[in-house]
Amino acid sequence: HADQITPYSSIKLLTMRKKEEIKYEYVPSTKEYLVALSQFPSYIKIIDAGQKPYQPLHAWLIENEKKLLSGNFRLPTIGELSKQTNIPSAKIPKYLKSLYHDVHESNLSEPHKFISDGQKNCHCSFEYVRRLASFNLGFDILPREGEILNFYFIKPLCGGTHFYVKNIYHEIENGEQITSISFTARAPNAYLNLLKEKAYLNHWISINEYYDETDFGLQEKLVKMYREL
């Protein structure tokens, strides 16, 4: 119904051929944009919405910050949000999406605005069912490999909210330490990682296969390989 915010994103399951990895086409819903924005008011405040068409929506999110973060506040339908912001219902989805992507672009271009004093700025990449997204986050304490991060704001970009730390990479550039963290929705699989390590050491898989995500095809290859040993 046009007056309601769809509670779930549209996910289409596409199976191409037998034994081929399942592929997903992810389309974020209007509600997912609204939830992501409403849970991170500090991000909203970074955006200068003075001349933007979504300015009334931006103002509404800031004015209702405490209610939205209370956990007891029911998110409005598109019709209700339209009445409270004087924005036509048909434009609410477009403006939510536009505001969300402005926040994301600001994060990539000016990451320091999203980091609190004393926090370590980390460039984070998120992988969910082969969809990738990037975001700069500030950490008081760096997470360790295998730990879980819940980050709803990234959902409209890749479809996931819960991620495992896959690896942490440090480099020094012009005398400054740069930390990059890779997150994946896949739970760590110690046995599969061991098979992969052995296969690489024995030159049975390529360096690209070793460093890439272990997809269904490679998983089958590794398991079959060790069954035949």
Side-chain angles (χ1 to χ4, degrees), residues 6 9 26 29 31 38 66 68 72 78 89 96-97 105 121 129 151 155 159 166-167 191 204 206 226:
T6 307
S9 60
Y26 172 72
S29 69
K31 183 173 183 179
S38 65
K66 291 184 178 179
L68 293 168
N72 300 316
I78 290 179
S89 296
L96 283 171
K97 181 179 180 180
E105 289 176 11
N121 179 23
V129 196
F151 184 45
K155 186 172 186 179
K166 181 182 177 183
N167 55 56
Y191 175 68
W204 295 329
S206 68
Y226 284 97

Side-chain angles (χ1 to χ4, degrees), residues 1-151:
H1 192 278
D3 192 43
Q4 295 180 341
I5 294 178
T6 307
Y8 303 105
S9 60
S10 171
I11 300 180
K12 299 178 181 178
L13 182 62
L14 306 173
T15 306
M16 305 303 293
R17 290 192 299 271
K18 188 177 181 181
K19 290 189 176 181
E20 224 176 71
E21 187 174 11
I22 293 173
K23 297 181 180 180
Y24 293 90
E25 180 182 341
Y26 172 72
V27 180
S29 69
T30 299
K31 183 173 183 179
E32 285 170 338
Y33 282 120
L34 178 57
V35 173
L37 291 167
S38 65
Q39 288 189 1
F40 294 86
S42 60
Y43 293 175
I44 307 298
K45 294 175 182 177
I46 292 172
I47 303 300
D48 180 6
Q51 302 300 318
K52 298 286 187 176
Y54 57 62
Q55 191 280 330
L57 186 58
H58 178 274
W60 182 90
L61 287 164
I62 294 176
E63 290 170 6
N64 290 277
E65 174 183 345
K66 291 184 178 179
K67 292 180 181 179
L68 293 168
L69 293 177
S70 69
N72 300 316
F73 183 70
R74 179 184 66 81
L75 288 174
T77 64
I78 290 179
E80 292 169 341
L81 200 52
S82 173
K83 291 179 181 178
Q84 295 177 43
T85 60
N86 291 318
I87 295 175
S89 296
K91 293 185 177 181
I92 293 291
K94 176 183 177 181
Y95 288 173
L96 283 171
K97 181 179 180 180
S98 180
L99 174 55
Y100 176 88
H101 285 289
D102 279 355
V103 171
H104 182 237
E105 289 176 11
S106 177
N107 174 268
L108 298 181
S109 62
E110 300 179 289
H112 62 278
K113 292 185 177 181
F114 293 76
I115 310 301
S116 300
D117 291 340
Q119 289 187 326
K120 177 61 182 175
N121 179 23
C122 298
H123 177 73
C124 302
S125 62
F126 299 87
E127 183 270 335
Y128 184 83
V129 196
R130 288 188 170 270
R131 288 184 64 91
L132 297 174
S134 297
F135 203 86
N136 292 292
L137 291 174
F139 288 98
D140 297 314
I141 301 174
L142 288 181
R144 295 171 294 185
E145 289 188 21
E147 291 186 337
I148 300 174
L149 173 72
N150 178 24
F151 184 45

